[in-house]
Amino acid sequence: MRSKSLFGSGLAGLGEDGDPLDVFVLMDAPVVPGCVIRARPIGAIEAKQKAKGEDWQRNDRLIAVATHAQTHETVKSLEDLRPHLFDEIKAFFIDYNRLRGRKFKPLALSGPSESRRLIKSGMEAFEQESRGSTESACQPRGMWQD
């Protein structure tokens, strides 16, 4: 299956669940796994997820556009996306989690400033955690661009 979007983890940032930040990047063309993409955050889905037999846990999803994506060059916030695209992104996250035996519940939508706050908070959490580990301290920085 080919997709013009990428769901992966942001570099050098931790979410409230202690895992790397989750980022959905809109692009013009597919890319190979493991590549680094310069992206502009446009918003976030504030959400919680739950694995079977576990409690609900906050797990927000950042939404960004690749800075080289001509299709999305004018997109600065979630409101700028074409009609129904955001509904497709939410459905992706619900199905993605369902296939892994988890429930995913969107709580609210956030704009670019809140997504940047989540990134900053995630980078601070990563810095705090990496102070206790020399292995983590050598990780690369994120490639975020406004």
Side-chain angles (χ1 to χ4, degrees):
M1 180 169 137
R2 292 179 59 135
S3 173
K4 292 183 180 177
S5 60
L6 170 73
F7 175 55
S9 299
L11 298 174
L14 299 176
E16 284 189 39
D17 60 351
D19 290 340
L21 291 171
D22 297 317
V23 186
F24 188 92
V25 182
L26 296 164
M27 303 177 294
D28 288 337
V31 294
V32 297
C35 68
V36 175
I37 299 169
R38 189 173 296 264
R40 177 178 61 253
I42 61 169
I45 301 173
E46 297 175 33
K48 59 184 182 178
Q49 76 179 33
K50 169 183 166 43
K52 192 171 185 173
E54 295 183 13
D55 292 330
W56 285 98
Q57 187 172 28
R58 189 66 182 260
N59 200 342
D60 300 333
R61 303 293 203 255
L62 297 165
I63 311 296
V65 295
T67 56
H68 64 277
Q70 294 176 355
T71 305
H72 305 290
E73 68 185 344
T74 62
V75 175
K76 305 292 184 212
S77 70
L78 297 173
E79 290 83 26
D80 297 333
L81 296 175
R82 69 170 167 76
H84 308 292
L85 178 57
F86 190 71
D87 292 332
E88 294 170 22
I89 295 170
K90 282 196 301 188
F92 165 80
F93 285 120
I94 291 168
D95 288 342
Y96 176 88
N97 281 279
R98 182 183 52 78
L99 291 170
R100 285 157 182 75
R102 300 182 300 237
K103 292 182 180 180
F104 181 83
K105 184 174 183 179
L107 302 172
L109 303 180
S110 299
S113 60
E114 176 63 13
S115 65
R116 284 189 285 277
R117 188 200 64 75
L118 289 169
I119 294 165
K120 184 178 183 209
S121 175
M123 291 175 79
E124 289 169 356
F126 177 83
E127 287 292 324
Q128 269 189 324
E129 184 175 290
S130 68
R131 285 189 188 120
S133 168
T134 56
E135 184 176 316
S136 296
C138 297
Q139 294 292 324
R141 306 302 292 164
M143 298 295 286
W144 295 105
Q145 181 173 327
D146 288 329

